[in-house]
Amino acid sequence: MDKRVLLAKPRGYCAGVDRAVVTVEKALEQYGAPVYVRKEIVHNKHVVETLSRRGAIFVDETDEVPEGALVVFSAHGVSPAVHEEAEARQLRTIDATCPLVTKVHNEAKRFAREDYDILLIGHEGHEEVEGTYGEAPEHIQLVDTAEDVDKVVVRDPSKVIWLSQTTLSVDETMVRVRQLQDRFPDLQEPPSDDICYATSNRQTAVKTMAPECDLVLVVGSKNSSNSVRLVEVALQAGARASYLIDYANEVDLAWLEGVTTVGVTSGASVPDILVMELLEFLAEHGYGDVEEITTANEKIAFALPRELRKDMVR
């Protein structure tokens, strides 16, 4: 049988990532280097290296930024404590938090005001979780594993709501939700879907093509939660093998032995140039026939942060 590639669509950049990366690029144009960025602007090695070359300086915490300098907050969001710290050090800030993450922050604040116990489904230590947790630490409990479900203690079982990290696997999240519902039958749902549209769209595309694939290659970085999930989703949906790579040159030729159909996709923080390089690499190894598998057309775009818009040349 002829060798072929199934290329998932949608893949790669989502609107929130695009907005965050463009924010740093425009800030460098508008204000000149250096522009400090707290954490990685998005979880992608190539993006971080490219912006670093252009004059972005990535730091772990705001106290590493010189007083009075400009700092951009990453797409994953930050807690109120980080905003306060930046203000205390008189930093100029541009908040590139994805609007969908901001929505979860606002839900956390609202339900805390209404004195709910909030069960936040997400991965411990992930920046997005830390930012959301920081909005209402006295009301939020993090639920990562099945064991965490058993440890939850609530004050009033009729006033409990779940929220989730936006980049999780849809299926995995619903497993946790069902476990929580078993314990708390009155558990309330978030007012709108927290799992980001881009995360679920990319997973749907992979699920659609995976059963036909001997191998699925996911372009993305190891610290990108949604990219790691795509590998898991591909395997669960029937792909015989699946690997996460940052660059085409990381493909082990042994993976291609006996393979006729290769699925290709990329995480929501991955520029398409990296996918194109992978397709070129595969074409050199006999996989020149590429068929795009489209499960959704994304038309969402977000305006740049207002702090940047007001300074941009009209």
Short mmCIF file of all heavy atoms in Angstrom, two decimals, residues 193-260:
data_model
loop_
_atom_site.label_atom_id
_atom_site.label_comp_id
_atom_site.label_asym_id
_atom_site.label_seq_id
_atom_site.Cartn_x
_atom_site.Cartn_y
_atom_site.Cartn_z
N ASP A 193 -18.46 26.00 29.06
CA ASP A 193 -17.41 24.99 28.94
C ASP A 193 -16.03 25.59 29.22
O ASP A 193 -15.63 26.54 28.56
CB ASP A 193 -17.48 24.44 27.51
CG ASP A 193 -16.62 23.21 27.36
OD1 ASP A 193 -16.08 22.75 28.38
OD2 ASP A 193 -16.46 22.73 26.23
N ASP A 194 -15.30 25.03 30.19
CA ASP A 194 -13.97 25.56 30.51
C ASP A 194 -12.89 25.03 29.58
O ASP A 194 -11.90 25.71 29.35
CB ASP A 194 -13.58 25.18 31.96
CG ASP A 194 -14.25 26.08 32.98
OD1 ASP A 194 -14.88 27.07 32.57
OD2 ASP A 194 -14.14 25.78 34.18
N ILE A 195 -13.05 23.79 29.11
CA ILE A 195 -12.02 23.24 28.23
C ILE A 195 -12.01 24.09 26.97
O ILE A 195 -13.04 24.32 26.36
CB ILE A 195 -12.32 21.77 27.86
CG1 ILE A 195 -12.40 20.91 29.11
CG2 ILE A 195 -11.27 21.25 26.87
CD1 ILE A 195 -11.17 20.20 29.54
N CYS A 196 -10.84 24.56 26.60
CA CYS A 196 -10.76 25.52 25.52
C CYS A 196 -11.18 24.87 24.20
O CYS A 196 -10.92 23.69 23.95
CB CYS A 196 -9.34 26.05 25.51
SG CYS A 196 -8.54 26.11 23.97
N TYR A 197 -11.87 25.65 23.36
CA TYR A 197 -12.37 25.16 22.07
C TYR A 197 -11.23 24.55 21.25
O TYR A 197 -11.40 23.54 20.56
CB TYR A 197 -13.02 26.32 21.27
CG TYR A 197 -11.99 27.24 20.66
CD1 TYR A 197 -11.53 27.04 19.36
CD2 TYR A 197 -11.40 28.27 21.40
CE1 TYR A 197 -10.54 27.84 18.82
CE2 TYR A 197 -10.41 29.07 20.87
CZ TYR A 197 -9.98 28.85 19.58
OH TYR A 197 -8.98 29.62 19.06
N ALA A 198 -10.04 25.17 21.33
CA ALA A 198 -8.91 24.72 20.50
C ALA A 198 -8.41 23.36 20.98
O ALA A 198 -8.08 22.48 20.18
CB ALA A 198 -7.78 25.75 20.54
N THR A 199 -8.35 23.19 22.31
CA THR A 199 -7.93 21.91 22.87
C THR A 199 -8.88 20.80 22.42
O THR A 199 -8.45 19.75 21.93
CB THR A 199 -7.91 21.99 24.42
OG1 THR A 199 -6.95 22.98 24.82
CG2 THR A 199 -7.53 20.67 25.05
N SER A 200 -10.18 21.04 22.56
CA SER A 200 -11.12 19.97 22.19
C SER A 200 -11.14 19.76 20.68
O SER A 200 -11.22 18.63 20.21
CB SER A 200 -12.52 20.22 22.76
OG SER A 200 -12.99 21.48 22.44
N ASN A 201 -11.03 20.83 19.89
CA ASN A 201 -11.00 20.67 18.42
C ASN A 201 -9.80 19.84 17.96
O ASN A 201 -9.91 19.00 17.08
CB ASN A 201 -10.93 22.03 17.72
CG ASN A 201 -12.27 22.75 17.74
OD1 ASN A 201 -13.29 22.19 18.13
ND2 ASN A 201 -12.27 24.00 17.30
N ARG A 202 -8.62 20.11 18.56
CA ARG A 202 -7.42 19.37 18.16
C ARG A 202 -7.54 17.90 18.56
O ARG A 202 -7.10 17.01 17.84
CB ARG A 202 -6.16 20.01 18.79
CG ARG A 202 -5.67 21.20 17.96
CD ARG A 202 -5.01 22.32 18.77
NE ARG A 202 -4.94 23.52 17.95
CZ ARG A 202 -6.00 24.23 17.53
NH1 ARG A 202 -7.22 23.84 17.84
NH2 ARG A 202 -5.85 25.32 16.79
N GLN A 203 -8.16 17.65 19.71
CA GLN A 203 -8.35 16.26 20.14
C GLN A 203 -9.34 15.53 19.23
O GLN A 203 -9.14 14.36 18.89
CB GLN A 203 -8.81 16.23 21.59
CG GLN A 203 -7.71 16.65 22.55
CD GLN A 203 -8.18 16.79 23.99
OE1 GLN A 203 -9.25 16.33 24.35
NE2 GLN A 203 -7.36 17.44 24.82
N THR A 204 -10.39 16.23 18.82
CA THR A 204 -11.39 15.61 17.92
C THR A 204 -10.75 15.23 16.59
O THR A 204 -10.99 14.14 16.06
CB THR A 204 -12.57 16.59 17.69
OG1 THR A 204 -13.17 16.88 18.95
CG2 THR A 204 -13.62 15.99 16.77
N ALA A 205 -9.92 16.13 16.05
CA ALA A 205 -9.26 15.84 14.77
C ALA A 205 -8.36 14.61 14.89
O ALA A 205 -8.34 13.74 13.99
CB ALA A 205 -8.45 17.05 14.31
N VAL A 206 -7.63 14.51 16.00
CA VAL A 206 -6.74 13.36 16.20
C VAL A 206 -7.55 12.07 16.37
O VAL A 206 -7.22 11.03 15.80
CB VAL A 206 -5.82 13.60 17.44
CG1 VAL A 206 -5.15 12.31 17.88
CG2 VAL A 206 -4.77 14.63 17.09
N LYS A 207 -8.64 12.16 17.14
CA LYS A 207 -9.49 10.97 17.33
C LYS A 207 -10.03 10.46 15.99
O LYS A 207 -10.20 9.26 15.79
CB LYS A 207 -10.70 11.32 18.21
CG LYS A 207 -10.41 11.31 19.68
CD LYS A 207 -11.69 11.62 20.43
CE LYS A 207 -11.42 11.92 21.87
NZ LYS A 207 -12.57 12.46 22.57
N THR A 208 -10.35 11.39 15.09
CA THR A 208 -10.92 11.03 13.79
C THR A 208 -9.91 10.28 12.93
O THR A 208 -10.25 9.29 12.28
CB THR A 208 -11.41 12.30 13.05
OG1 THR A 208 -12.35 12.96 13.89
CG2 THR A 208 -12.06 11.97 11.72
N MET A 209 -8.65 10.73 12.95
CA MET A 209 -7.67 10.10 12.05
C MET A 209 -6.90 8.94 12.69
O MET A 209 -6.41 8.07 11.99
CB MET A 209 -6.69 11.15 11.49
CG MET A 209 -5.71 11.68 12.48
SD MET A 209 -4.63 12.91 11.71
CE MET A 209 -3.43 13.14 13.03
N ALA A 210 -6.80 8.92 14.01
CA ALA A 210 -5.94 7.93 14.70
C ALA A 210 -6.23 6.47 14.34
O ALA A 210 -5.29 5.69 14.15
CB ALA A 210 -6.01 8.12 16.21
N PRO A 211 -7.51 6.07 14.21
CA PRO A 211 -7.76 4.65 13.90
C PRO A 211 -7.13 4.19 12.59
O PRO A 211 -6.87 3.01 12.41
CB PRO A 211 -9.30 4.57 13.83
CG PRO A 211 -9.79 5.74 14.62
CD PRO A 211 -8.77 6.82 14.43
N GLU A 212 -6.87 5.13 11.67
CA GLU A 212 -6.28 4.76 10.37
C GLU A 212 -4.75 4.84 10.40
O GLU A 212 -4.09 4.52 9.41
CB GLU A 212 -6.78 5.72 9.28
CG GLU A 212 -8.24 5.54 8.94
CD GLU A 212 -8.62 6.42 7.76
OE1 GLU A 212 -7.97 6.30 6.70
OE2 GLU A 212 -9.56 7.22 7.91
N CYS A 213 -4.18 5.29 11.54
CA CYS A 213 -2.75 5.59 11.57
C CYS A 213 -1.93 4.49 12.25
O CYS A 213 -2.29 4.01 13.32
CB CYS A 213 -2.50 6.90 12.33
SG CYS A 213 -3.24 8.33 11.53
N ASP A 214 -0.81 4.14 11.59
CA ASP A 214 0.16 3.25 12.24
C ASP A 214 0.97 4.05 13.25
O ASP A 214 1.46 3.52 14.24
CB ASP A 214 1.11 2.66 11.20
CG ASP A 214 0.34 1.92 10.10
OD1 ASP A 214 -0.43 1.02 10.45
OD2 ASP A 214 0.50 2.29 8.92
N LEU A 215 1.14 5.34 12.96
CA LEU A 215 1.97 6.21 13.79
C LEU A 215 1.37 7.61 13.76
O LEU A 215 0.97 8.09 12.70
CB LEU A 215 3.40 6.25 13.19
CG LEU A 215 4.37 7.30 13.73
CD1 LEU A 215 4.77 7.00 15.16
CD2 LEU A 215 5.62 7.36 12.83
N VAL A 216 1.27 8.26 14.94
CA VAL A 216 0.87 9.67 14.98
C VAL A 216 2.02 10.48 15.58
O VAL A 216 2.51 10.16 16.67
CB VAL A 216 -0.42 9.88 15.81
CG1 VAL A 216 -0.69 11.38 16.00
CG2 VAL A 216 -1.62 9.23 15.12
N LEU A 217 2.48 11.48 14.83
CA LEU A 217 3.53 12.38 15.33
C LEU A 217 2.87 13.69 15.75
O LEU A 217 2.15 14.32 14.96
CB LEU A 217 4.57 12.63 14.23
CG LEU A 217 5.37 11.40 13.80
CD1 LEU A 217 6.26 11.71 12.61
CD2 LEU A 217 6.21 10.84 14.96
N VAL A 218 3.10 14.07 16.99
CA VAL A 218 2.56 15.32 17.53
C VAL A 218 3.72 16.30 17.68
O VAL A 218 4.68 16.01 18.39
CB VAL A 218 1.88 15.10 18.90
CG1 VAL A 218 1.36 16.44 19.46
CG2 VAL A 218 0.74 14.08 18.79
N VAL A 219 3.64 17.42 16.98
CA VAL A 219 4.68 18.44 17.14
C VAL A 219 4.29 19.30 18.34
O VAL A 219 3.19 19.85 18.40
CB VAL A 219 4.80 19.32 15.87
CG1 VAL A 219 5.95 20.32 16.03
CG2 VAL A 219 5.04 18.45 14.63
N GLY A 220 5.20 19.39 19.31
CA GLY A 220 4.91 20.16 20.51
C GLY A 220 6.00 19.93 21.54
O GLY A 220 6.79 18.99 21.42
N SER A 221 6.02 20.78 22.55
CA SER A 221 7.05 20.67 23.59
C SER A 221 6.54 19.86 24.77
O SER A 221 5.33 19.80 25.04
CB SER A 221 7.47 22.07 24.05
OG SER A 221 8.14 22.74 23.00
N LYS A 222 7.50 19.26 25.50
CA LYS A 222 7.13 18.35 26.58
C LYS A 222 6.40 19.05 27.73
O LYS A 222 5.68 18.42 28.49
CB LYS A 222 8.38 17.64 27.12
CG LYS A 222 8.92 16.63 26.12
CD LYS A 222 10.14 15.88 26.63
CE LYS A 222 10.61 14.82 25.64
NZ LYS A 222 10.87 15.35 24.30
N ASN A 223 6.61 20.38 27.88
CA ASN A 223 5.91 21.08 28.97
C ASN A 223 4.58 21.67 28.50
O ASN A 223 3.94 22.41 29.23
CB ASN A 223 6.79 22.18 29.57
CG ASN A 223 7.13 23.27 28.56
OD1 ASN A 223 7.03 23.06 27.36
ND2 ASN A 223 7.54 24.42 29.05
N SER A 224 4.18 21.32 27.27
CA SER A 224 2.89 21.80 26.75
C SER A 224 1.83 20.76 27.09
O SER A 224 1.78 19.68 26.49
CB SER A 224 2.98 21.99 25.24
OG SER A 224 1.69 22.04 24.68
N SER A 225 0.98 21.09 28.04
CA SER A 225 -0.03 20.16 28.52
C SER A 225 -0.91 19.65 27.37
O SER A 225 -1.15 18.45 27.22
CB SER A 225 -0.89 20.87 29.56
OG SER A 225 -1.87 20.04 30.06
N ASN A 226 -1.38 20.56 26.51
CA ASN A 226 -2.31 20.12 25.46
C ASN A 226 -1.61 19.25 24.41
O ASN A 226 -2.23 18.37 23.82
CB ASN A 226 -3.04 21.32 24.83
CG ASN A 226 -2.19 22.09 23.86
OD1 ASN A 226 -2.09 21.76 22.69
ND2 ASN A 226 -1.55 23.14 24.35
N SER A 227 -0.29 19.47 24.19
CA SER A 227 0.45 18.64 23.23
C SER A 227 0.62 17.22 23.77
O SER A 227 0.44 16.23 23.05
CB SER A 227 1.83 19.25 22.94
OG SER A 227 1.71 20.54 22.41
N VAL A 228 0.97 17.12 25.05
CA VAL A 228 1.13 15.81 25.70
C VAL A 228 -0.20 15.04 25.63
O VAL A 228 -0.23 13.83 25.35
CB VAL A 228 1.59 15.98 27.17
CG1 VAL A 228 1.57 14.66 27.92
CG2 VAL A 228 2.98 16.60 27.22
N ARG A 229 -1.32 15.78 25.86
CA ARG A 229 -2.64 15.13 25.79
C ARG A 229 -2.91 14.55 24.41
O ARG A 229 -3.54 13.52 24.28
CB ARG A 229 -3.76 16.14 26.08
CG ARG A 229 -3.79 16.78 27.45
CD ARG A 229 -4.20 15.85 28.56
NE ARG A 229 -3.05 15.10 29.06
CZ ARG A 229 -2.05 15.62 29.78
NH1 ARG A 229 -2.02 16.88 30.10
NH2 ARG A 229 -1.08 14.85 30.21
N LEU A 230 -2.44 15.23 23.34
CA LEU A 230 -2.71 14.75 21.97
C LEU A 230 -2.09 13.37 21.73
O LEU A 230 -2.68 12.53 21.04
CB LEU A 230 -2.22 15.76 20.93
CG LEU A 230 -3.05 17.05 20.81
CD1 LEU A 230 -2.34 18.05 19.90
CD2 LEU A 230 -4.45 16.76 20.29
N VAL A 231 -0.91 13.15 22.30
CA VAL A 231 -0.27 11.82 22.19
C VAL A 231 -1.17 10.77 22.86
O VAL A 231 -1.44 9.71 22.30
CB VAL A 231 1.13 11.83 22.83
CG1 VAL A 231 1.72 10.41 22.87
CG2 VAL A 231 2.06 12.77 22.06
N GLU A 232 -1.65 11.09 24.05
CA GLU A 232 -2.50 10.15 24.80
C GLU A 232 -3.80 9.88 24.04
O GLU A 232 -4.24 8.73 23.93
CB GLU A 232 -2.83 10.74 26.18
CG GLU A 232 -1.61 10.87 27.09
CD GLU A 232 -1.90 11.69 28.34
OE1 GLU A 232 -3.05 12.13 28.52
OE2 GLU A 232 -0.95 11.91 29.12
N VAL A 233 -4.40 10.95 23.51
CA VAL A 233 -5.66 10.81 22.78
C VAL A 233 -5.46 9.94 21.54
O VAL A 233 -6.29 9.08 21.22
CB VAL A 233 -6.22 12.20 22.40
CG1 VAL A 233 -7.37 12.09 21.40
CG2 VAL A 233 -6.71 12.93 23.65
N ALA A 234 -4.34 10.14 20.82
CA ALA A 234 -4.06 9.34 19.61
C ALA A 234 -4.00 7.85 19.95
O ALA A 234 -4.58 7.01 19.25
CB ALA A 234 -2.75 9.80 18.97
N LEU A 235 -3.29 7.52 21.04
CA LEU A 235 -3.15 6.11 21.43
C LEU A 235 -4.49 5.53 21.87
O LEU A 235 -4.85 4.42 21.50
CB LEU A 235 -2.11 5.98 22.55
CG LEU A 235 -0.66 6.29 22.13
CD1 LEU A 235 0.24 6.40 23.35
CD2 LEU A 235 -0.13 5.23 21.16
N GLN A 236 -5.25 6.32 22.64
CA GLN A 236 -6.56 5.83 23.11
C GLN A 236 -7.52 5.62 21.94
O GLN A 236 -8.39 4.76 21.99
CB GLN A 236 -7.17 6.83 24.11
CG GLN A 236 -6.51 6.75 25.49
CD GLN A 236 -6.74 8.02 26.32
OE1 GLN A 236 -7.39 8.96 25.87
NE2 GLN A 236 -6.21 8.04 27.52
N ALA A 237 -7.35 6.43 20.88
CA ALA A 237 -8.28 6.36 19.74
C ALA A 237 -7.87 5.31 18.71
O ALA A 237 -8.52 5.17 17.68
CB ALA A 237 -8.40 7.73 19.09
N GLY A 238 -6.75 4.61 18.96
CA GLY A 238 -6.43 3.49 18.08
C GLY A 238 -5.16 3.59 17.27
O GLY A 238 -4.86 2.68 16.48
N ALA A 239 -4.38 4.67 17.42
CA ALA A 239 -3.09 4.72 16.72
C ALA A 239 -2.17 3.66 17.32
O ALA A 239 -2.18 3.45 18.54
CB ALA A 239 -2.46 6.10 16.87
N ARG A 240 -1.37 3.01 16.47
CA ARG A 240 -0.50 1.94 16.99
C ARG A 240 0.65 2.51 17.82
O ARG A 240 1.15 1.89 18.74
CB ARG A 240 0.04 1.09 15.83
CG ARG A 240 -1.05 0.30 15.11
CD ARG A 240 -0.60 -1.10 14.72
NE ARG A 240 0.74 -1.14 14.14
CZ ARG A 240 1.01 -1.19 12.85
NH1 ARG A 240 0.01 -1.18 11.98
NH2 ARG A 240 2.24 -1.25 12.41
N ALA A 241 1.11 3.70 17.43
CA ALA A 241 2.20 4.36 18.18
C ALA A 241 2.01 5.87 18.04
O ALA A 241 1.41 6.34 17.07
CB ALA A 241 3.56 3.94 17.62
N SER A 242 2.53 6.62 19.01
CA SER A 242 2.46 8.08 18.92
C SER A 242 3.60 8.68 19.72
O SER A 242 3.94 8.19 20.80
CB SER A 242 1.11 8.58 19.46
OG SER A 242 1.03 9.99 19.29
N TYR A 243 4.22 9.73 19.15
CA TYR A 243 5.36 10.38 19.82
C TYR A 243 5.23 11.89 19.74
O TYR A 243 4.65 12.44 18.79
CB TYR A 243 6.68 9.97 19.14
CG TYR A 243 6.95 8.48 19.20
CD1 TYR A 243 6.67 7.66 18.10
CD2 TYR A 243 7.46 7.89 20.36
CE1 TYR A 243 6.90 6.30 18.16
CE2 TYR A 243 7.69 6.52 20.41
CZ TYR A 243 7.41 5.73 19.31
OH TYR A 243 7.63 4.38 19.37
N LEU A 244 5.82 12.54 20.74
CA LEU A 244 5.85 14.00 20.81
C LEU A 244 7.24 14.47 20.40
O LEU A 244 8.25 13.98 20.92
CB LEU A 244 5.56 14.44 22.25
CG LEU A 244 5.49 15.93 22.54
CD1 LEU A 244 4.30 16.57 21.82
CD2 LEU A 244 5.35 16.17 24.05
N ILE A 245 7.31 15.40 19.44
CA ILE A 245 8.62 15.91 19.00
C ILE A 245 8.55 17.44 18.90
O ILE A 245 7.51 18.00 18.58
CB ILE A 245 9.03 15.33 17.62
CG1 ILE A 245 7.94 15.59 16.57
CG2 ILE A 245 9.34 13.84 17.72
CD1 ILE A 245 8.36 15.29 15.15
N ASP A 246 9.67 18.09 19.17
CA ASP A 246 9.74 19.53 18.95
C ASP A 246 10.07 19.85 17.50
O ASP A 246 9.55 20.81 16.93
CB ASP A 246 10.83 20.15 19.85
CG ASP A 246 10.26 20.69 21.16
OD1 ASP A 246 9.41 21.59 21.07
OD2 ASP A 246 10.65 20.20 22.23
N TYR A 247 10.96 19.04 16.92
CA TYR A 247 11.45 19.31 15.56
C TYR A 247 11.49 18.01 14.75
O TYR A 247 11.64 16.92 15.30
CB TYR A 247 12.87 19.90 15.61
CG TYR A 247 12.96 21.19 16.36
CD1 TYR A 247 13.52 21.25 17.64
CD2 TYR A 247 12.48 22.37 15.79
CE1 TYR A 247 13.60 22.45 18.33
CE2 TYR A 247 12.55 23.58 16.48
CZ TYR A 247 13.10 23.62 17.74
OH TYR A 247 13.17 24.81 18.43
N ALA A 248 11.43 18.17 13.41
CA ALA A 248 11.46 17.01 12.51
C ALA A 248 12.69 16.14 12.72
O ALA A 248 12.62 14.91 12.60
CB ALA A 248 11.40 17.49 11.05
N ASN A 249 13.82 16.77 13.06
CA ASN A 249 15.05 15.97 13.20
C ASN A 249 15.05 15.06 14.42
O ASN A 249 15.99 14.30 14.65
CB ASN A 249 16.30 16.87 13.18
CG ASN A 249 16.36 17.83 14.35
OD1 ASN A 249 15.61 17.70 15.32
ND2 ASN A 249 17.24 18.81 14.27
N GLU A 250 13.99 15.14 15.23
CA GLU A 250 13.89 14.24 16.40
C GLU A 250 13.19 12.92 16.04
O GLU A 250 13.08 12.03 16.88
CB GLU A 250 13.13 14.94 17.53
CG GLU A 250 13.90 16.12 18.12
CD GLU A 250 13.08 16.91 19.13
OE1 GLU A 250 12.05 16.40 19.61
OE2 GLU A 250 13.47 18.05 19.43
N VAL A 251 12.70 12.82 14.80
CA VAL A 251 12.03 11.58 14.39
C VAL A 251 13.07 10.46 14.30
O VAL A 251 14.09 10.61 13.63
CB VAL A 251 11.31 11.74 13.03
CG1 VAL A 251 10.76 10.40 12.56
CG2 VAL A 251 10.19 12.76 13.13
N ASP A 252 12.80 9.37 14.98
CA ASP A 252 13.67 8.19 14.93
C ASP A 252 13.19 7.36 13.73
O ASP A 252 12.02 6.97 13.67
CB ASP A 252 13.49 7.41 16.25
CG ASP A 252 14.37 6.18 16.33
OD1 ASP A 252 14.81 5.69 15.27
OD2 ASP A 252 14.61 5.70 17.46
N LEU A 253 14.09 7.09 12.79
CA LEU A 253 13.69 6.37 11.57
C LEU A 253 13.12 4.98 11.89
O LEU A 253 12.32 4.44 11.11
CB LEU A 253 14.86 6.27 10.59
CG LEU A 253 15.28 7.61 9.96
CD1 LEU A 253 16.46 7.43 9.03
CD2 LEU A 253 14.11 8.26 9.21
N ALA A 254 13.50 4.43 13.02
CA ALA A 254 12.95 3.12 13.42
C ALA A 254 11.43 3.20 13.59
O ALA A 254 10.72 2.20 13.40
CB ALA A 254 13.60 2.65 14.72
N TRP A 255 10.93 4.40 13.96
CA TRP A 255 9.48 4.56 14.14
C TRP A 255 8.73 4.34 12.82
O TRP A 255 7.55 3.98 12.83
CB TRP A 255 9.13 5.97 14.64
CG TRP A 255 9.70 6.35 15.96
CD1 TRP A 255 10.26 5.52 16.89
CD2 TRP A 255 9.77 7.68 16.51
NE1 TRP A 255 10.69 6.25 17.98
CE2 TRP A 255 10.39 7.58 17.78
CE3 TRP A 255 9.38 8.94 16.05
CZ2 TRP A 255 10.62 8.69 18.59
CZ3 TRP A 255 9.60 10.05 16.85
CH2 TRP A 255 10.22 9.92 18.12
N LEU A 256 9.41 4.59 11.69
CA LEU A 256 8.75 4.52 10.38
C LEU A 256 8.77 3.12 9.76
O LEU A 256 8.12 2.89 8.74
CB LEU A 256 9.41 5.52 9.40
CG LEU A 256 9.34 7.00 9.79
CD1 LEU A 256 10.15 7.84 8.82
CD2 LEU A 256 7.90 7.50 9.85
N GLU A 257 9.49 2.21 10.40
CA GLU A 257 9.59 0.85 9.83
C GLU A 257 8.21 0.18 9.81
O GLU A 257 7.53 0.11 10.82
CB GLU A 257 10.58 0.01 10.65
CG GLU A 257 12.03 0.37 10.33
CD GLU A 257 13.02 -0.31 11.28
OE1 GLU A 257 12.64 -1.31 11.91
OE2 GLU A 257 14.16 0.19 11.38
N GLY A 258 7.83 -0.29 8.61
CA GLY A 258 6.55 -0.99 8.47
C GLY A 258 5.33 -0.09 8.55
O GLY A 258 4.20 -0.57 8.63
N VAL A 259 5.54 1.22 8.52
CA VAL A 259 4.44 2.16 8.67
C VAL A 259 3.96 2.64 7.30
O VAL A 259 4.77 3.13 6.50
CB VAL A 259 4.89 3.37 9.53
CG1 VAL A 259 3.92 4.54 9.41
CG2 VAL A 259 5.04 2.95 10.99
N THR A 260 2.66 2.52 7.03
CA THR A 260 2.13 3.07 5.77
C THR A 260 1.46 4.43 6.00
O THR A 260 1.60 5.32 5.18
CB THR A 260 1.10 2.11 5.12
OG1 THR A 260 0.16 1.74 6.10
CG2 THR A 260 1.76 0.89 4.54
#
